[in-house]
Structures are given as C-alpha cells and as structure tokens.
C-alpha cells in the first residue's frame, strides 16, 4: 500500500483554503477598533437567519450556551419550569444533556433507531409523562433527525420542539426546509471543527419566535435589554466581531463545502466493502438530509481497525467512546440501560470526511478498510 498521511481533520488545511479572504476580513475588524456587538455580528446574524430560513438569529459564545439560553429563556417566559422533563436522544454529545441538567430540567433519554442512528420516533410517546414539556432532537453526525411523526407527537402532546443543530449546518429536512428552522428554537455551534467553523468559540440560536429571540439576546448580555437596565439575571455569552467576520466568509462556501463532504461520503458508500465493517444509513428507507459532519463506521474490532489505519497513515476519531448516561458526572443515570446507544458507542469509528479531502484519498481510505482483517 502506498504511503499516505491523512489526518482525521486538519483545520490548518481547511482554513488555508480561504486564508486570503479571512485575513482581509479580520484586518478590517482589527482596524475598525470595534470588537463586540457591532457591524459584523449583526451582518452574520442576518445572513445566517436568512440561510437557515428563520426570522431571527441571536449569536452567542458557543453551542452549549446556545442550548442553555434557549432553555433558560423558556423558563423566564413560563413555558418551562424547574424539574420539567425534556425528551432527548441517549446517543448524543454530552453538551446536549448538560444544557438540560444545568438549567434545572430533567433529561429523559430515548434510544436511537439502529439504522438512522437518530432518536427513535416510535419510542417517544412511551417516554411522555405528566411533566414532559419538550423534545430536543439532535441532528447527530449531520444527518437530519426530524420526522413527520415527531412533529405530530409534539403537536398532539403540546410539547415544545428544540433542535441541537451543532453538527448539521446546511442540512435539509423536506421541501428545502433546513434543520435549525424546524421547531421552536435551535442551537448551533461554530466550534472550529464543525461544518461551519470559526477560529475559536462561537454559537447561535435560530428561531421564528420574536419574544424568545429577545429574551435570549438579553440573557446573553447580562440580562440587559437596554444599557444598564436588567430585567433578567443573565450571563456574558457573546460572539465577537472577529469570529463573526470569519463566519461571514465561511458561510458563503458552506454549500460547496457540504457538497464536497457528500462526494467523499458517496465514495465511502460505494467503495467500502468488508464483512467486519458496517457502514451507516445504507438501509435508510427514505432519502434524508445529511451534511456528513461525521462519517461513522462500525466494527467489533474498533481498536484494531483504528491501529491498522493509523499505521497506514490515516487518522480517525471515536464519537464518542462513552455515552452520557455512563459518565461519572451522571451517576444518577449510570444504572440505566440503553443497549443500542451502548453498542454504537462501543463500535463507532469516525473516518476522515471533510472539504479538504480529495476523492482519490477517500478511495485509498476505502481500499485500506477493505483490506483490513481483524
Ligand atoms: C459541538 C456540539 C455541542 C457544543 O458546542 P460548543 O460550541 O462546543 O459548546 C453541542 N451539541 C453537539 C451535538 C455538538 O456536537
């Protein structure tokens, strides 16, 4: 096999593609002498709301804050109360669960469907109790988690619907509707490694709810609605002008970047063929939006496959090795059993999938995987 060197994710390489334009924009911010709550943040919020298809976008410090600000704002407005239950997939990044517990709410974990890897909509109704107030879906790996059934359950049971869209910028549900516009509010992370990534921390909430947007905007700025007037006890969670300027540049190329990810994923779908390795979504019965933030493969021999790929110059990651309910920080959840989630976390291995990869490299990675024997 030829010697190759493909890192799992090389942010230097990714940002070098737009280096000139990014530098030009960041220079303008530096020269302006205005670094927070200015022109670039306003321009990014407007552009991103329009891209997602919502009337409002409120930027904030990061994705976890975006999630928490939504849940705090709904409590201020009286639509959620301390102790209320929020239905959420058991297989997600811990941030989704942290946002719920750290705002005084209770996560009710629901297993994913083994094929879609998203919350199993057939199990949601069983999880509803007298104090269930909301469903938080997570478009994990970049694949849309929304279904018609979820929207009818929420309508029927008067549940709020929130989206964790940290991994799915640009993903579509049906009729061109983007994830991030499908429920009452959605949280976005622009962590550097995300499909739309800043050069540091940044996040946002999108919503069509004007009142909610207003409360979230105030909460992220000390709870202030006008200078030195504080109707709420807020936090300091703001996107800065430099990150907004970077994101304005990168937003223009998000569609093209996501198409590149699709192309890489297509190579994997058509080329990976090894009885020891399962590839995801092959049995998806309905076409479904996916922006391939992560391309997960599954094997009983994860450590061996990871070592083998590493020896052949290919970097991989595990998303994620331990599910939230088995973490030491959630001892109250440790005794719960979610076999599908646990199997996913035990067998998952993420292979390189991003806009800096070439078709030829994806093909070589597939060939390597095909030659793997445990
Ligand atoms: C990245 C991520 C977050 C948190 O975003 P940060 O900007 O790192 O706070 C939340 N949920 C999911 C599913 C994520 O992947």
């Amino acid at each position: 096999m030829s010697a190759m060197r493909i890192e799992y994710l090389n942010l230097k390489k990714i940002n070098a593609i737009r280096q000139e334009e990014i530098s030009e924009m960041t220079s303008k911010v530096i020269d302006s002498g205005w670094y927070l709550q200015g022109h670039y943040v306003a321009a990014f919020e407007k552009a991103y709301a329009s891209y997602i298809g919502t009337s409002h976008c409120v930027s904030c410090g990061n994705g976890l804050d975006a999630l928490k600000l939504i849940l705090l704002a709904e409590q201020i407005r009286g639509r959620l109360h301390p102790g209320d239950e929020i239905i959420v997939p058991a297989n997600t990044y811990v941030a989704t669960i942290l946002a719920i517990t750290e705002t005084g709410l209770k996560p009710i974990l629901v297993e994913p469907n083994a094929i879609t890897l998203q919350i199993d909509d057939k199990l949601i109704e069983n999880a509803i109790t007298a104090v269930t107030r909301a469903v938080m879906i997570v478009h994990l790996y970049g694949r849309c988690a929304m279904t018609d059934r979820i929207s009818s359950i929420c309508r029927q049971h008067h549940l709020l619907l929130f989206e964790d869209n940290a991994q799915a910028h640009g993903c579509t549900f049906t009729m061109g509707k983007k994830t991030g516009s499908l429920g009452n509010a959605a949280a976005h992370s622009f962590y550097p490694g995300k499909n739309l990534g800043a050069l540091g921390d940044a996040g946002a909430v999108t919503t069509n709810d004007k009142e909610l947007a207003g409360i979230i905007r105030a909460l992220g700025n000390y709870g202030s609605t006008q200078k030195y007037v504080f109707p709420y006890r807020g936090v300091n969670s703001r996107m800065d002008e430099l990150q907004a300027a970077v994101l304005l540049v990168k937003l223009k190329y998000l569609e093209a970047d996501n198409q590149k990810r699709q192309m890489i994923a297509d190579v994997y779908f058509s080329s990976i063929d090894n009885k020891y390795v399962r590839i995801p979504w092959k049995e998806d019965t309905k076409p479904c939006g996916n922006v391939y933030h992560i391309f997960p493969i599954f094997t009983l021999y994860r450590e061996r496959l990871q070592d083998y790929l590493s020896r052949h110059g290919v970097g991989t990651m595990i998303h994620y090795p331990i599910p939230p309910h088995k973490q030491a920080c959630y001892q109250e959840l440790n005794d719960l059993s979610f076999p599908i989630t646990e199997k996913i976390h035990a067998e998952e291995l993420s292979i390189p999938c991003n806009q800096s990869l070439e078709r030829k490299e994806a093909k070589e990675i597939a060939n390597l995987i095909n030659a793997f024997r445990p």
Side-chain angles (χ1 to χ4, degrees), residues 54 137 146 160-163 177-178 180-186 206-209:
T54 54
I137 56 175
M146 186 58 172
L160 298 167
L161 177 64
F162 303 124
E163 297 169 81
K177 273 196 89 128
K178 288 209 168 63
S181 72
L182 307 175
N184 296 84
T206 52
T207 179
N208 287 314
D209 186 328

Side-chain angles (χ1 to χ4, degrees), residues 62-64 67 92-93 95-96 138 164 166-167 189 191 194 202 320:
N62 56 67
L64 175 58
L67 288 162
T92 183
Y93 180 56
T96 323
V138 182
D164 181 338
Q167 302 193 356
S189 162
Y191 176 82
K194 302 283 157 96
Y320 301 90

Side-chain angles (χ1 to χ4, degrees), residues 295-308:
F295 195 95
I297 61 175
F298 300 91
T299 175
L300 294 171
Y301 311 96
R302 174 166 69 189
E303 273 63 43
R304 266 179 261 173
L305 179 56
Q306 186 166 38
D307 280 354
Y308 163 87

Side-chain angles (χ1 to χ4, degrees), residues 306-321:
Q306 186 166 38
D307 280 354
Y308 163 87
L309 289 174
S310 162
R311 271 187 279 113
H312 289 86
V314 175
T316 56
M317 296 262 284
I318 295 170
H319 296 98
Y320 301 90

